Amino acid sequence: QVQLVESGGGLVQPGGSLRLSCAASQSIGTITAMSWYRQTPGKKRELVATITSGGSTNYADSLKGRFTISTDSTKNTVYLQMNSLKSEDTAVYYCNVRAFRVLRFDDYWGQGTQVTVFS
């Protein structure tokens, strides 16, 4: 069974840092890209950052310089390092993995982790 397990959310004051993790089960197949999205109530889920299997990264313009996406050596775990956090970064953060398995590409989603930036 394919699983994505997220961790690392929580409460932090403005200017603080958090690191989110998302571990994909080995059964997920061949990963082609891993991403982080975020969503606040009443708004569409928005892309935060993506990293491809080749190591290329892409960020939402408004987050460049503060957030960093990376993977571990196995490339089955993706991280999101968030620095200089602002109240507007408060959201539920979701991990997304695109993988090739059983002759097709599929998108898989984590359960979401709450990040709250408060003063």
Side-chain angles (χ1 to χ4, degrees), residues 1-97:
Q1 184 179 355
V2 174
Q3 278 190 310
L4 295 180
V5 179
E6 297 184 33
S7 62
L11 301 173
V12 65
Q13 291 187 326
S17 298
L18 281 175
R19 188 172 87 151
L20 306 182
S21 300
C22 173
S25 58
Q26 292 297 323
S27 59
I28 201 168
T30 302
I31 294 173
T32 59
M34 306 178 89
S35 302
W36 288 96
Y37 287 74
R38 67 184 184 184
Q39 189 170 26
T40 54
K43 292 191 176 181
K44 276 181 60 175
R45 195 171 292 187
E46 64 172 355
L47 177 66
V48 173
T50 296
I51 185 165
T52 68
S53 57
S56 298
T57 58
N58 184 55
Y59 296 90
D61 286 341
S62 61
L63 301 176
K64 286 179 184 175
R66 294 195 298 123
F67 288 16
T68 303
I69 191 169
S70 62
T71 58
D72 69 352
S73 58
T74 69
K75 298 191 178 181
N76 267 61
T77 298
V78 62
Y79 303 100
L80 184 68
Q81 178 68 42
M82 304 184 293
N83 298 326
S84 302
L85 283 161
K86 306 175 182 179
S87 57
E88 51 263 44
D89 296 318
T90 295
V92 178
Y93 285 71
Y94 295 92
C95 170
N96 168 272
V97 173

